[in-house]
Amino acid sequence: MSHTSPVKYKLIKKDGSQRPRLGQIYTQRGIINTPAFIPVGTNATVKAMSQDELKELGAEVILSNTYHLYLRPGHGVIKELGGLHKFMNWHGPILTDSGGFQVFSLSPLRKINDNGVTFKSHLDGSTHLITPEIAMEIQAALGSDIAMAFDECTPYPASREYTLNSLELTTKWAKRCKEYHDTETRRHGDTEMKRYNDSCNSPFHRFSLPPSQALFGIVQGGTYNDLRKQSAGELIEMDFDGYALGGLSVGEPKELMYEIINYTTPLLPQDKPRYLMGIGDLADVLEAVSAGIDMFDCVMPTRNARNGTLFTSEGRISIKREEFKTDPRPLDPNCECYTCSNYSRAYLRHLFANKEILSMRLNTIHNLYFYLNFFRRMRNAIKQGVFESFRKGLWSSACSQII
Amino acid sequence: MSHTSPVKYKLIKKDGSQRPRLGQIYTQRGIINTPAFIPVGTNATVKAMSQDELKELGAEVILSNTYHLYLRPGHGVIKELGGLHKFMNWHGPILTDSGGFQVFSLSPLRKINDNGVTFKSHLDGSTHLITPEIAMEIQAALGSDIAMAFDECTPYPASREYTLNSLELTTKWAKRCKEYHDTETRRHGDTEMKRYNDSCNSPFHRFSLPPSQALFGIVQGGTYNDLRKQSAGELIEMDFDGYALGGLSVGEPKELMYEIINYTTPLLPQDKPRYLMGIGDLADVLEAVSAGIDMFDCVMPTRNARNGTLFTSEGRISIKREEFKTDPRPLDPNCECYTCSNYSRAYLRHLFANKEILSMRLNTIHNLYFYLNFFRRMRNAIKQGVFESFRKGLWSSACSQII
């Protein structure tokens, strides 16, 4: 059953005969230029940032975590308050994950069966059940622009048998997600539209169209190419609005991860966005973009910032180092971010040593600027047909180097 | 020995026959409208704020702590980096305390004699000595616009004998501070001017005049009116650039504190700024302003903000309360701050419950706005000759009420 997708992927340019592609994803809340980096706002906030700062940094889409918001404050609360965009006052596109990955990585106890996953909250130990339908219901309540199907993230290492069973479960769940989304989520569209229009007397309101939600499927299959192919094939048949690669960067060697990405990505439809979940190491990003990936999310720039590890054009530096104590230079002399335009390494080191909140703010601004700027430059390189030299150039070596 | 003061107090208006006074303090880095609230930036940062935000909020002067900066990163480091203004990129006036109060309140071990105070750092237990001369040297290195004389903060309760000895020590130390400041600090003026001009090729540079530093004396005398009079008299004779009341709000009953403030303030020169140290409860501020005080500093708005206690026009509220979970209203419907213009109580409660950095930021913005706005309105009330009705009005009751 085909439908009109709430998001549209427009291919702008392929880099010659290569796979890297420049595109745009049209959503009702704005355009996402791809390849895109998606900052992670777990608890309906990208840690240390205001929503205005994210906008100024050039973030075009953010991710928020279904698992966290389900537990606290609860999706019912957010729905009652007019949805996630209004709740957090971010009016650009939002992508929500399905909660599956967090259930597997954060919950101290979980039981999985065909119906769904029973797990204990990492906050208070209370017991919860998430099924594919519930994952859809939560994401509908949050009102994200892009929802993700509920999947099992296959661990590494996993036997071929485990991986096959796991991907078949993911396929079954994907079907149930799609069905629920096609019927329930859309059937409630009218109610939602009324709710939305009722809420439009708010001073925060900025959009005239009622939101509708896209649904992406997640390809599993572990480290087995043929199982990845099977998973992709089954999902493509269901006609999702976009496709993600899941279950990567979970402990497997980089070469294996690259092999899977390079094998699987070209199997995905050309006219839909392709999203590599949870990966943000820039060397991995370059590999994945060259395989044809469009979207990435990762806590790496924000988490590293709070830990004092900062990305610069000359490599990663740890701001806590003694040598910066009297260093009057900006963090990165080649950077034009707010932090580098206004503060010295010495001040940043001092703030970090004192665990000051401004340390986390200034570091996060810088790292997010670095990431978003990296993606801007990468898009420009694809546009100019020089992705390969970009990939081999100064910037990519800067990404892995630790100085 | 009289001298030309680096700060000038201009009396703009007295409220009729009453003592509240409207004024301006002219400094080389800007005008401070009085009565003024001074946000506290202990570690060369007002916690959770950027310097641009402070400016936008209307802060005209900030305080930074000599004790903290002496220990970390060290005044030598800050001097080498061009002084505190350049170090933290705040180009308005800065007041530094003498370090005395923190030595008494934070150090786990201290030994006091005529020469100065030996104490152990609360950070690493290392032993340090601060004398009046060293306190001046540190503040000269920081390059603050207003330095404070090194004093002993008399505790409460204290016998008359202890208080008298303590104030005589404070007087002796004040004399040594003044002498050092008049000779050493000013003798090094030429060197400093050269340093300063050398640093002017920095893109952060915004002033054309080399800075010079004012020095305020601190009146002690505990809870004994006659000893306060003695202390004030001895300091006034030394001709400081301004005068502070110290050793208040250290445990004594409010009535006693008010009595001392009301008795002592009028003893201070009319043509110099008067500063009540460490006090920021707004009911106390109203009492002190009516006694003729011009300057206040306090961590109350910023510390309370981080603990989730927020000042509103209807009283103080604790944002963690369950009832706010689904409350779509702004924190204070009568407030025009960034937080109240953009976020709901429900979102603020959610951020606080998750210990998010944005919680501390938005709460601090609101509380500082509330304080600075309170002072703006108070100044306006003095200007209009209606301070008494302001004092008795909605705003003052809002300050003490807890809802």
Side-chain angles (χ1 to χ4, degrees):
Chain A
M1 177 182 69
S2 188
H3 70 273
T4 307
S5 177
V7 298
K8 306 218 181 306
Y9 177 78
K10 182 180 164 193
L11 179 70
I12 292 180
K13 177 167 178 161
K14 287 193 70 176
D15 189 355
S17 60
Q18 306 300 308
R19 283 181 193 148
R21 57 190 213 157
L22 188 74
Q24 288 183 322
I25 302 171
Y26 287 79
T27 81
Q28 289 189 21
R29 286 199 175 80
I31 293 170
I32 304 164
N33 287 288
T34 61
F37 179 72
I38 314 175
V40 177
T42 299
N43 286 315
T45 166
V46 174
K47 288 190 194 302
M49 291 294 93
S50 75
Q51 281 64 282
D52 284 329
E53 283 166 342
L54 289 172
K55 215 172 149 186
E56 279 161 33
L57 285 165
E60 295 177 327
V61 50
I62 61 171
L63 178 149
S64 211
N65 288 108
T66 291
Y67 170 87
H68 290 82
L69 297 178
Y70 160 75
L71 290 178
R72 198 158 59 187
H75 56 294
V77 168
I78 291 177
K79 183 174 182 173
E80 186 180 334
L81 290 161
L84 188 51
H85 296 82
K86 195 172 162 193
F87 179 61
M88 69 182 290
N89 195 29
W90 165 265
H91 299 282
I94 298 178
L95 184 150
T96 44
D97 62 4
S98 69
F101 184 77
Q102 270 74 28
V103 166
F104 290 101
S105 61
L106 290 178
S107 170
L109 198 71
R110 58 185 180 274
K111 240 173 71 184
I112 185 170
N113 63 25
D114 264 20
N115 184 40
V117 186
T118 307
F119 63 96
K120 285 197 186 298
S121 158
H122 73 292
L123 295 174
D124 61 7
S126 56
T127 302
H128 301 262
L129 166 71
I130 294 193
T131 65
E133 291 78 12
I134 291 171
M136 288 298 97
E137 196 187 316
I138 299 170
Q139 292 180 80
L142 297 176
S144 55
D145 303 279
I146 301 173
M148 301 301 298
F150 193 63
D151 64 330
E152 189 197 359
C153 177
T154 314
Y156 179 86
S159 68
R160 193 184 157 79
E161 194 195 346
Y162 183 97
T163 306
L164 177 61
N165 288 335
S166 171
L167 97 78
E168 286 180 341
L169 185 65
T170 288
T171 296
K172 270 187 260 176
W173 285 358
K175 203 165 287 181
R176 282 163 59 188
C177 285
K178 188 71 169 54
E179 210 158 286
Y180 188 94
H181 197 262
D182 281 348
T183 54
E184 295 302 315
T185 305
R186 290 171 205 244
R187 184 175 343 140
H188 288 306
D190 286 350
T191 324
E192 288 306 310
M193 191 187 293
K194 187 177 174 317
R195 277 190 75 84
Y196 189 82
N197 284 334
D198 287 350
S199 78
C200 289
N201 55 0
S202 150
F204 309 143
H205 171 64
R206 302 193 193 158
F207 295 92
S208 55
L209 284 173
S212 65
Q213 189 177 58
L215 179 61
F216 283 20
I218 303 174
V219 177
Q220 292 289 346
T223 51
Y224 304 90
N225 276 342
D226 60 328
L227 299 186
R228 286 279 171 183
K229 187 174 188 179
Q230 179 183 332
S231 176
E234 291 170 357
L235 294 174
I236 291 166
E237 204 160 307
M238 296 180 220
D239 191 25
F240 282 95
D241 301 315
Y243 297 88
L245 301 192
L248 289 169
S249 196
V250 292
E252 77 282 8
K254 286 243 170 181
E255 300 67 39
L256 198 48
M257 177 173 92
Y258 289 173
E259 191 196 318
I260 298 295
I261 292 171
N262 282 307
Y263 176 80
T264 314
T265 310
L267 304 175
L268 303 174
Q270 290 277 349
D271 61 341
K272 299 280 172 75
R274 302 147 164 191
Y275 167 29
L276 181 55
M277 298 186 81
I279 283 172
D281 180 292
L282 293 176
D284 300 347
V285 165
L286 287 165
E287 182 76 22
V289 164
S290 82
I293 293 287
D294 305 310
M295 301 161 72
F296 300 85
D297 79 278
C298 195
V299 296
M300 195 174 268
T302 43
R303 183 174 291 164
N304 272 331
R306 299 196 303 283
N307 296 333
T309 299
L310 300 167
F311 296 90
T312 78
S313 58
E314 289 160 2
R316 260 178 254 186
I317 67 174
S318 171
I319 197 61
K320 69 187 85 172
R321 281 166 59 186
E322 180 74 15
E323 67 181 280
F324 299 134
K325 195 167 182 177
T326 54
D327 192 335
R329 289 175 299 168
L331 193 55
D332 184 347
N334 301 315
C335 179
E336 290 171 350
C337 82
Y338 177 79
T339 303
C340 290
S341 307
N342 287 285
Y343 298 98
S344 65
R345 293 176 177 187
Y347 187 63
L348 294 176
R349 180 187 185 275
H350 166 73
L351 293 177
F352 186 81
N354 284 285
K355 301 184 175 58
E356 288 290 347
I357 294 168
L358 188 56
S359 165
M360 305 200 240
R361 292 182 58 181
L362 295 176
N363 290 356
T364 303
I365 286 175
H366 173 80
N367 272 3
L368 275 181
Y369 182 91
F370 185 91
Y371 258 67
L372 293 164
N373 196 32
F374 179 92
F375 274 75
R376 269 190 294 270
R377 286 177 172 232
M378 183 165 61
R379 289 195 297 268
N380 199 43
I382 300 171
K383 194 173 173 183
Q384 311 290 329
V386 295
F387 175 80
E388 274 310 310
S389 64
F390 174 84
R391 187 180 177 179
K392 288 176 190 128
L394 178 69
W395 273 66
S396 59
S397 71
C399 301
S400 44
Q401 205 174 335
I402 294 169
I403 54 169
Chain B
M1 177 181 70
S2 188
H3 69 273
T4 306
S5 177
V7 299
K8 306 217 182 304
Y9 176 78
K10 181 180 165 194
L11 178 70
I12 292 181
K13 177 167 177 162
K14 287 193 70 174
D15 189 353
S17 61
Q18 306 300 309
R19 283 180 193 147
R21 56 189 214 159
L22 187 74
Q24 287 183 324
I25 302 170
Y26 287 79
T27 80
Q28 288 190 21
R29 286 198 175 81
I31 292 171
I32 304 164
N33 287 287
T34 61
F37 179 71
I38 314 175
V40 177
T42 299
N43 285 316
T45 166
V46 173
K47 288 189 193 305
M49 292 294 93
S50 75
Q51 280 64 282
D52 284 330
E53 283 166 340
L54 289 173
K55 213 172 150 188
E56 278 162 33
L57 285 165
E60 295 177 328
V61 49
I62 61 171
L63 179 148
S64 211
N65 287 109
T66 291
Y67 170 87
H68 291 84
L69 297 178
Y70 161 74
L71 290 178
R72 198 158 62 187
H75 56 293
V77 167
I78 292 178
K79 183 175 181 173
E80 186 180 334
L81 290 160
L84 188 51
H85 296 81
K86 194 172 163 192
F87 179 61
M88 68 182 289
N89 196 28
W90 165 265
H91 298 282
I94 298 178
L95 184 150
T96 44
D97 63 5
S98 69
F101 184 77
Q102 270 74 30
V103 166
F104 290 102
S105 61
L106 290 178
S107 170
L109 198 70
R110 60 184 178 275
K111 240 173 70 182
I112 185 171
N113 62 27
D114 263 20
N115 183 41
V117 186
T118 307
F119 64 96
K120 284 197 187 299
S121 158
H122 74 291
L123 296 173
D124 62 6
S126 56
T127 301
H128 301 263
L129 166 72
I130 293 194
T131 64
E133 290 78 13
I134 291 171
M136 289 298 95
E137 195 186 316
I138 298 170
Q139 293 180 78
L142 298 176
S144 54
D145 303 278
I146 300 173
M148 301 301 298
F150 193 63
D151 64 330
E152 188 197 358
C153 179
T154 314
Y156 179 87
S159 68
R160 194 185 156 76
E161 194 194 344
Y162 182 97
T163 306
L164 177 62
N165 288 335
S166 171
L167 98 78
E168 285 179 342
L169 185 64
T170 288
T171 296
K172 270 186 258 177
W173 285 357
K175 203 166 287 179
R176 283 164 58 188
C177 285
K178 187 72 169 54
E179 211 158 283
Y180 188 94
H181 197 262
D182 280 347
T183 54
E184 294 302 314
T185 304
R186 290 172 204 242
R187 186 178 339 143
H188 287 307
D190 285 351
T191 323
E192 289 307 310
M193 191 187 296
K194 187 177 176 317
R195 277 190 76 84
Y196 189 81
N197 285 333
D198 287 350
S199 77
C200 288
N201 55 357
S202 150
F204 307 145
H205 171 65
R206 299 190 196 159
F207 295 92
S208 56
L209 285 173
S212 65
Q213 190 178 56
L215 179 61
F216 284 20
I218 304 175
V219 177
Q220 293 288 347
T223 52
Y224 304 90
N225 276 341
D226 60 327
L227 299 187
R228 286 279 170 183
K229 188 174 186 179
Q230 178 183 332
S231 176
E234 291 170 357
L235 293 173
I236 291 166
E237 203 161 308
M238 296 182 221
D239 191 25
F240 282 95
D241 301 315
Y243 297 88
L245 301 192
L248 289 169
S249 197
V250 292
E252 76 283 9
K254 286 244 168 179
E255 299 68 38
L256 198 48
M257 178 172 91
Y258 289 174
E259 191 195 318
I260 298 295
I261 293 171
N262 281 305
Y263 176 81
T264 315
T265 310
L267 303 175
L268 302 174
Q270 290 278 348
D271 61 340
K272 299 281 173 73
R274 301 147 165 191
Y275 168 28
L276 181 55
M277 299 186 79
I279 284 172
D281 179 292
L282 293 177
D284 300 348
V285 166
L286 286 165
E287 182 77 21
V289 164
S290 82
I293 292 286
D294 306 309
M295 301 161 72
F296 300 85
D297 79 278
C298 195
V299 295
M300 196 174 268
T302 43
R303 182 175 290 164
N304 272 330
R306 300 195 304 282
N307 295 332
T309 299
L310 300 167
F311 295 90
T312 79
S313 57
E314 288 159 3
R316 260 178 253 186
I317 67 175
S318 171
I319 197 61
K320 69 186 86 171
R321 282 166 58 186
E322 180 73 16
E323 66 181 282
F324 299 133
K325 194 168 183 176
T326 55
D327 192 335
R329 290 175 298 169
L331 192 56
D332 184 347
N334 300 314
C335 178
E336 290 171 350
C337 82
Y338 178 80
T339 303
C340 290
S341 307
N342 287 285
Y343 298 98
S344 66
R345 292 176 179 187
Y347 186 62
L348 294 176
R349 181 187 185 276
H350 166 73
L351 293 177
F352 186 81
N354 285 285
K355 300 184 176 60
E356 287 289 347
I357 295 167
L358 188 55
S359 165
M360 304 202 241
R361 292 183 55 182
L362 295 176
N363 290 356
T364 303
I365 286 175
H366 172 80
N367 272 3
L368 275 182
Y369 182 90
F370 185 90
Y371 258 67
L372 293 164
N373 197 30
F374 179 92
F375 273 75
R376 268 191 293 271
R377 285 178 173 232
M378 184 165 60
R379 288 195 298 268
N380 199 42
I382 301 172
K383 193 173 176 184
Q384 310 290 328
V386 295
F387 175 78
E388 274 311 309
S389 63
F390 174 84
R391 187 179 177 180
K392 288 176 190 129
L394 177 70
W395 273 65
S396 59
S397 70
C399 302
S400 43
Q401 205 174 335
I402 294 169
I403 53 169

